[in-house]
């Protein structure tokens, strides 16, 4: 019997050693990916586990890491350069011509993002337009595009304006509260708007910060090193991930939104209620046999996840820059008040969306703080780049939006907030140097809605309040929160507010 256990122990030890050696061999081979394919890469030696992104999500945000890599490749006059994201080789596109080819001209070779989601454990994530690929994405994109076009966004304006008024009332009654943190408050505003327009419900998160809807939204957007490793593993080992039923997103969060959507639909069908919102558009598609209930819930979930944090980030940084630049804030307020005089003080979709200087301010904020700081695509075939070489099939290609927006070759003094960059007299701007909503066939489908809810919120705020920086708690030069999928300030955002 002793001999049996000894043999079993030796066998288990051998298996562990073999597994360890195999993993180390795999990681070492991934480290040498760029050298083996004779492609230029970052000059720093990659870490065995983290590659060239050590400290990501714990010490540094992806925007800061990609900015360093972008500047290195620009100085070396490379159209692109390789680096390692953990054990995944990634190509960072630098040249404008290459970026346009990847995102637009050669889209047929780069139509997928290479995201992983298991339909059994993450049913809503697997139906997200953002993560779908191939023909399924193409058909769904064609069906959903009209749902978020200007006519339907205009129909959602009234609900947005009502919630913006709730936000104004809340800020007015808060007085000089020292605990009013604007990153969270803006997320609560966008949560209420999208909850109303996507699910047709009153979330009440502006007044109730601990509301369940807000908590679930926060959990859905939670970023961690563990989740990033899961995404990389699922992308590289899709079949094994399916066997293991790898869970990328919290099932409880998806179950909450699925049940919420089902109960809302049941209520509407029971009482024959028809509303002018995104959910109703999806229900009309369901009635025509184009969608099932899980897909309806998945697209509502997508609408919420893709919109509330990105829009909140834009509003937050816009108010931050206006608080720093009093003259710009006052000029924008005068433009808003002049437009309101022509409408007897009433907000309208046409008035808000036609405010030229507001558009300039928002665009400059998007340039400095693009909510999504990089775009990514996966090649479905070997791809040859002039002056570089052939990139193997399946390689992830990243376009560093934030780094491009901060390139002095395209934007002199890029760290200076200057809305005049987007003045009508300077209307020409290459699409590959300004990509806050992406570029090409996969650019953001909800851009019009996102801009509408942001502009309505800003108009409501600026017509009533004057903002200045709380210098004791919010520094002029902020750093980005590492553990955030979108750009967010470390330590939060605190502003001084006074009635106009």
């Amino acid at each position: 019997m002793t001999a049996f256990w000894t043999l079993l122990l030796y066998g288990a030890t051998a298996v562990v050693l073999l597994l360890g050696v195999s993993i180390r061999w795999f990681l070492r081979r991934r480290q040498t990916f760029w050298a083996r394919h004779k492609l230029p890469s970052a000059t720093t030696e990659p870490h065995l586990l983290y590659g060239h992104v050590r400290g990501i999500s714990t010490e540094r945000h992806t925007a800061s890491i990609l900015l360093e890599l972008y500047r290195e490749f620009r100085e070396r006059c490379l159209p692109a350069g390789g680096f390692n994201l953990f054990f995944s080789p990634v190509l960072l596109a630098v040249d404008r011509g290459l970026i346009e080819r990847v995102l637009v001209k050669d889209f047929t070779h780069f139509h997928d993002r290479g995201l992983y989601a298991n339909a059994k454990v993450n049913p809503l994530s697997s139906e997200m337009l953002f993560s779908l690929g191939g023909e399924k994405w193409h058909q769904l994109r064609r069906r959903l595009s009209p749902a978020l076009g200007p006519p339907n966004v205009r129909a959602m304006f009234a609900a947005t304006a009502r919630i913006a008024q709730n936000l104004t009332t809340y800020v007015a009654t808060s007085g000089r509260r020292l605990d009013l943190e604007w990153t969270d408050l803006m997320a609560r505003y966008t949560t209420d708007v999208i909850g109303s327009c996507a699910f047709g419900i009153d979330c009440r998160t502006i007044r109730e910060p601990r509301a369940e809807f807000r908590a679930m939204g926060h959990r859905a957007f939670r970023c961690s090193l563990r989740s990033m490793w899961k995404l990389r593993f699922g992308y590289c080992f899709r079949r094994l991930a399916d066997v293991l039923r790898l869970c990328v997103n919290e099932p409880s969060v998806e179950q909450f939104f699925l049940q919420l959507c089902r109960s809302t639909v049941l209520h509407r069908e029971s009482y024959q209620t028809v509303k002018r919102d995104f959910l109703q558009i999806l229900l009309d598609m369901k009635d025509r046999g184009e969608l099932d209930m899980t897909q309806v819930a998945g697209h509502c979930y997508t609408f919420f996840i893709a919109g509330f944090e990105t829009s909140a980030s834009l509003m937050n940084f816009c108010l931050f820059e206006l608080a720093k630049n009093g003259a710009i804030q006052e000029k924008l307020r005068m433009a808003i008040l002049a437009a309101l005089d022509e409408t007897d003080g009433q907000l309208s979709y046409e008035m808000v969306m036609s405010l030229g200087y507001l558009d300039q301010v928002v665009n400059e904020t998007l340039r400095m703080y693009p909510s999504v700081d990089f775009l990514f695509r996966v090649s479905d075939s070997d791809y040859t780049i002039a002056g570089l070489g052939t990139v193997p099939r399946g390689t992830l290609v990243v376009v560093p939006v934030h780094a491009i927006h901060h390139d002095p070759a395209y934007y002199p003094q890029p760290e200076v907030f200057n809305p005049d960059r987007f003045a009508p007299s300077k209307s020409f701007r290459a699409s590959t140097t300004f990509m806050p909503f992406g570029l090409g066939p996969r650019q953001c489908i909800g851009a019009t809605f996102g801009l509408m809810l942001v502009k309505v919120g800003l108009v409501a705020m600026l017509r009533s309040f004057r903002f200045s920086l709380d210098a004791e708690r919010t520094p002029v030069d902020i750093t980005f929160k590492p553990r955030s999928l979108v750009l967010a300030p470390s330590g939060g955002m605190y502003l001084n507010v006074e009635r106009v």
Side-chain angles (χ1 to χ4, degrees):
M1 198 67 179
T2 304
F4 170 77
W5 288 110
T6 301
L7 184 62
L8 185 62
L9 178 61
Y10 284 155
T13 302
V15 169
V16 171
L17 288 174
L18 181 61
L19 184 61
V21 169
S22 299
I23 292 175
R24 186 174 179 82
W25 174 85
F26 169 78
L27 293 174
R28 285 294 184 189
R29 184 167 176 78
R30 300 296 270 185
Q31 275 187 323
T32 61
F33 177 89
W34 300 109
R36 285 187 289 108
H37 289 89
K38 299 180 180 179
L39 294 168
S41 63
T43 53
T44 57
E45 186 72 19
H47 186 272
L48 185 64
L49 293 177
Y50 297 99
H52 295 97
V53 297
R54 190 169 188 174
I56 191 171
S57 86
T58 57
E59 300 173 8
R60 296 191 295 169
H61 193 275
T62 53
S64 303
I65 294 173
L66 293 181
L67 180 61
E68 290 181 6
L69 291 167
Y70 175 84
R71 287 173 174 171
E72 177 192 332
F73 296 144
R74 281 280 278 173
E75 289 175 2
R76 293 165 60 185
C77 299
L78 294 172
F83 71 98
N84 286 62
L85 176 61
F86 304 125
F87 53 81
S88 292
V90 178
L91 186 73
L92 190 75
V94 175
D95 178 70
R96 283 171 47 190
L98 173 61
I99 292 170
E100 187 173 16
R101 289 195 297 275
V102 168
L103 299 179
V104 184
K105 294 180 180 178
D106 292 339
F107 176 74
T108 53
H109 297 292
F110 297 93
H111 50 75
D112 292 351
R113 290 193 171 101
L115 293 173
Y116 173 81
N118 187 299
K120 294 181 180 178
V121 293
N122 292 131
L124 300 191
S125 296
S126 64
E127 291 295 337
M128 291 176 66
L129 186 65
F130 186 81
S131 58
L132 288 176
E135 186 60 24
K136 189 174 183 180
W137 165 82
H138 179 76
Q139 293 297 330
L140 190 58
R141 170 85 184 205
R142 181 177 57 81
R143 292 173 183 171
L144 287 180
S145 290
L148 289 170
N152 287 320
V153 171
R154 184 181 284 105
M156 302 175 200
F157 176 85
T160 306
R162 173 178 53 80
I163 294 169
Q165 183 57 47
N166 293 343
L167 174 63
T168 303
T169 303
Y170 178 80
V171 174
T173 56
S174 297
R176 294 184 174 273
R177 278 178 50 185
L178 297 178
D179 63 339
L180 196 61
E181 199 278 304
W182 285 81
T183 304
D184 178 64
L185 181 58
M186 293 298 93
R188 284 149 55 191
Y189 162 71
T190 56
T191 295
D192 278 4
V193 172
I194 298 177
S196 175
C197 294
F199 294 92
I201 63 174
D202 184 5
C203 301
R204 302 187 303 276
T205 61
I206 291 177
R207 290 194 172 277
E208 300 175 23
R210 293 181 176 84
E212 188 178 21
F213 205 99
R214 171 63 181 139
M216 287 297 174
H218 178 73
R219 287 171 61 183
F221 234 82
R222 190 158 48 193
C223 176
S224 68
L225 200 58
R226 181 183 179 185
S227 63
M228 296 182 74
W229 272 98
K230 283 184 177 181
L231 283 170
R232 290 295 87 216
F233 184 87
Y235 164 66
C236 294
F237 308 104
R238 192 172 293 270
R239 291 184 180 178
L240 179 58
D242 284 338
V243 172
L244 296 174
R245 298 186 71 174
L246 182 67
C247 180
V248 176
N249 298 315
E250 289 188 49
S252 60
V253 174
E254 294 199 9
Q255 192 62 32
F256 168 82
F257 283 101
L258 181 59
Q259 289 300 117
L260 175 65
C261 196
R262 283 175 174 168
S263 60
T264 304
V265 170
L266 180 62
H267 181 272
R268 291 193 184 188
E269 291 177 345
S270 299
Y271 292 93
Q272 297 183 338
T273 303
V274 177
K275 292 188 176 182
R276 301 184 70 185
D277 56 20
F278 185 66
L279 176 58
Q280 189 61 52
I281 297 169
L282 296 180
L283 291 179
D284 292 340
M285 294 173 67
K286 176 177 172 288
D287 292 340
R288 295 194 298 268
E290 298 176 4
L291 299 173
D292 59 30
M293 191 62 240
T294 300
Q295 290 172 323
V296 169
H299 300 323
C300 283
Y301 178 69
T302 302
F303 188 31
F304 175 70
I305 296 301
F308 91 98
E309 282 283 11
T310 53
S311 300
S313 172
L314 172 55
M315 288 187 69
N316 188 46
F317 283 117
C318 190
L319 289 176
F320 169 69
E321 287 295 338
L322 291 174
K324 286 171 54 180
N325 298 275
I328 295 175
Q329 180 184 162
E330 204 58 35
K331 181 178 179 180
L332 177 56
R333 181 176 294 105
M334 291 301 102
I336 290 171
L337 295 177
L340 286 169
D341 284 343
E342 297 180 6
T343 60
D344 294 326
Q346 299 300 309
L347 293 181
S348 70
Y349 178 84
E350 288 73 18
M351 184 273 285
V352 171
M353 299 302 281
S354 63
L355 277 168
Y357 195 63
L358 175 61
D359 197 50
Q360 291 176 223
V361 169
V362 169
N363 280 337
E364 177 66 349
T365 307
L366 285 168
R367 180 195 68 79
M368 290 188 70
Y369 310 98
S371 301
V372 179
D373 60 286
F374 65 93
L375 309 172
F376 54 99
R377 302 287 188 271
V378 173
S379 60
D380 66 357
S381 61
D382 292 351
Y383 190 78
T384 301
I385 301 174
L388 195 73
T390 300
V391 180
R393 175 181 179 272
T395 302
L396 189 68
V397 180
V398 164
V399 177
V401 176
H402 173 267
I404 292 169
H405 285 189
H406 286 256
D407 191 332
Y410 308 135
Y411 300 97
Q413 295 182 294
E415 304 307 321
V416 175
F417 186 77
N418 179 16
D420 289 339
R421 300 181 202 270
F422 294 90
S425 59
K426 302 176 182 179
S427 58
F428 172 78
R429 189 167 304 283
S431 57
T432 50
T433 61
F434 186 63
M435 301 174 285
F437 298 104
L439 184 66
R442 290 202 79 135
Q443 62 184 313
C444 179
I445 193 174
T448 301
F449 175 81
L451 288 173
M452 184 273 289
L453 80 88
V454 165
K455 290 180 177 181
V456 170
L458 290 174
V459 168
M461 289 287 95
L462 292 167
R463 74 184 295 188
S464 302
F465 307 107
R466 182 172 287 106
F467 299 90
S468 59
L469 204 61
D470 184 343
E472 293 184 1
R473 290 189 289 178
T474 303
V476 174
D477 298 318
I478 61 172
T479 57
F480 298 133
K481 183 179 179 181
R483 200 177 291 269
S484 176
L485 291 176
V486 299
L487 294 186
S490 291
M493 186 75 70
Y494 296 90
L495 305 174
N496 297 318
V497 183
E498 59 178 299
R499 293 299 296 260
V500 173

